[in-house]
Amino acid sequence: MDIETRKVQQTGGSTYIISLPKPWAQRMGVEAGSRVSVRNQPDGSLNIATLDTTTKPKKRKMEITNYKGEGLIRNIIAAYVAGYDLIELVSPRILAEQKKIIREVCHKLIGPEIIEETSKGVLIQDLLNPEEVSIKKSIRRMYLISTSMHKDAIQSLKTGEKDLALDVMLRDDEVDRLFLLISKQFRSLFRGTRLADTTETSIDEYHDFRLVASSLERIADHAHRIAGVTRKLQGPVPEEIMEPIEKASEEARNTVEKAIDALYGCDVKLANKTIENIQHIKTDVDKLNASFMKLKDVGTVVGLGTVADSIERTAEYGTNIAETAINMAIATTEESA
């Protein structure tokens, strides 16, 4: 990308002006009398954008004849994350199985809706206004859903409630939807898209929040994994084993909670304390695994080993969030110093 320089001039005694690059103005349809928005960014830069809301939507056309199952799903999601407003899927004959997958993918994403459908093509439009979605609120929602999933997954393990376990597994879709939306929003920043909180959140901070979203998505995956164990076990977990599992699970959830508090509170001290506690959790998990070996049923031993591993991984992802909290807090302090 070429960088152009402009000389700041003064007009009217108190107003500073610079000229806009002509190629950019022509490409964006800016001419004499046009109005543009000028936004202050947290890093001190200015963002200049057109106010024209009739900009031609970004469209991607994809031939899907040879794509089915996971391949088709990945292609649609990739186009969504890339920020296309319109996704046109075409084929000489779109199969019923393909249409079912397309509908399911749209249901699992935030914004896309099927607006046209024929035997040879499906047109998907993203109806979400990016300026109405705050990354901070999306992160907070991901945290609430993922930790409640973990808590309920452990409860289902304790009580043997397979319906509760299924509910946990279904909630994973909501976390995935938010994660993909955040990924899309992050990429949109580099194309100059105006987002809900860009006036108070720098690109660097968006990057850090994207990392946090990744950790929360993995925490939800491990809650899904624990719930899957519940659905496979044939009988209840012995009380003397279940009690330390609950204790370790609570410690893991507390790690994530404190990490999120440190993130939003720019609290380096709390973040460091959270990270230092991980070794204690690892020790508890080691004890859990040793206690499982006393059980006679091999399937139960393997299943509970999976649960213990997911509890430890949840705590580790919490420490990842705490590390990001430290990075963000230090960067913010440096900027304001």
Side-chain angles (χ1 to χ4, degrees):
M1 182 180 294
D2 295 331
I3 298 178
E4 298 187 31
T5 60
R6 292 289 187 273
K7 184 177 181 179
V8 179
Q9 302 180 39
Q10 187 173 7
T11 181
S14 61
T15 301
Y16 294 106
I17 63 172
I18 62 170
S19 61
L20 296 174
K22 189 173 182 180
W24 176 85
Q26 291 177 331
R27 188 172 72 253
M28 302 305 294
V30 175
E31 55 188 25
S34 298
R35 294 178 64 83
V36 297
S37 66
V38 180
R39 298 191 180 199
N40 292 309
Q41 301 299 306
D43 61 1
S45 63
L46 292 176
N47 178 281
I48 299 177
T50 63
L51 292 177
D52 184 12
T53 58
T54 61
T55 304
K56 186 177 180 181
K58 187 180 178 185
K59 184 176 181 179
R60 178 61 186 252
K61 187 174 183 178
M62 297 193 296
E63 220 290 341
I64 63 169
T65 301
N66 298 319
Y67 290 97
K68 299 178 183 178
E70 293 295 324
L72 179 56
I73 293 172
R74 284 192 292 268
N75 283 3
I76 297 173
I77 290 177
Y80 168 78
V81 173
Y84 289 103
D85 303 300
L86 292 168
I87 304 171
E88 186 178 11
L89 308 174
V90 298
S91 174
R93 179 72 173 89
I94 297 183
L95 304 176
E97 177 189 352
Q98 290 175 310
K99 287 191 176 182
K100 180 182 178 183
I101 290 172
I102 294 168
R103 294 189 192 99
E104 289 175 348
V105 174
C106 288
H107 177 71
K108 291 182 178 181
L109 297 174
I110 298 177
E113 298 287 346
I114 296 175
I115 59 172
E116 290 182 20
E117 183 176 348
T118 68
S119 62
K120 296 183 178 181
V122 176
L123 184 61
I124 302 170
Q125 182 175 3
D126 188 351
L127 302 177
L128 184 70
N129 182 351
E131 294 190 54
E132 297 176 353
V133 182
S134 164
I135 190 172
K136 291 182 179 179
K137 290 181 180 178
S138 295
I139 291 288
R140 176 68 71 176
R141 180 155 175 75
M142 283 186 73
Y143 156 67
L144 293 173
I145 297 173
S146 61
T147 52
S148 69
M149 284 174 63
H150 182 100
K151 184 177 181 179
D152 287 347
I154 295 297
Q155 179 64 21
S156 72
L157 183 69
K158 180 180 181 179
T159 62
E161 294 180 74
K162 298 191 185 303
D163 186 65
L164 178 59
L166 176 60
D167 179 64
V168 169
M169 298 170 80
L170 293 175
R171 272 181 269 168
D172 190 35
D173 285 344
E174 180 64 18
V175 177
D176 289 342
R177 293 173 75 209
L178 288 166
F179 174 66
L180 290 170
L181 173 62
I182 289 171
S183 298
K184 176 188 173 185
Q185 297 284 80
F186 179 60
R187 291 175 66 99
S188 296
L189 279 177
F190 295 98
R191 296 193 302 273
T193 302
R194 296 188 293 271
L195 302 180
D197 40 17
T198 45
T199 55
E200 58 184 39
T201 307
S202 67
I203 291 180
D204 287 345
E205 288 172 325
Y206 255 85
H207 171 265
D208 289 335
F209 278 125
R210 166 65 176 73
L211 293 177
V212 171
S214 180
S215 292
L216 291 171
E217 192 267 342
R218 294 298 296 139
I219 288 170
D221 284 346
H222 280 286
H224 183 286
R225 193 177 178 213
I226 294 171
V229 171
T230 297
R231 291 179 61 80
K232 291 179 181 178
L233 289 181
Q234 298 301 316
V237 178
E239 185 177 344
E240 65 274 14
I241 290 181
M242 193 64 226
E243 187 174 337
I245 288 177
E246 289 182 283
K247 180 181 176 182
S249 167
E250 184 176 2
E251 285 288 337
R253 293 199 313 274
N254 286 340
T255 297
V256 179
E257 179 181 357
K258 290 175 182 176
I260 291 293
D261 288 343
L263 179 76
Y264 282 93
C266 296
D267 193 331
V268 174
K269 184 177 180 181
L270 177 59
N272 276 310
K273 187 177 180 181
T274 300
I275 294 170
E276 291 166 2
N277 191 50
I278 187 64
Q279 194 54 51
H280 172 69
I281 296 174
K282 286 180 176 291
T283 299
D284 287 345
V285 170
D286 288 341
K287 291 179 181 178
L288 273 177
N289 283 317
S291 69
F292 299 157
M293 301 310 296
K294 300 176 184 178
L295 300 173
K296 296 180 180 180
D297 183 69
V298 176
T300 301
V301 173
V302 173
L304 294 183
T306 298
V307 171
D309 178 67
S310 287
I311 289 174
E312 183 175 346
R313 295 289 186 88
T314 296
E316 288 174 345
Y317 285 118
T319 62
N320 289 348
I321 295 172
E323 289 173 354
T324 301
I326 294 172
N327 295 341
M328 291 182 68
I330 296 297
T332 301
T333 302
E334 184 179 70
E335 291 175 0
S336 61

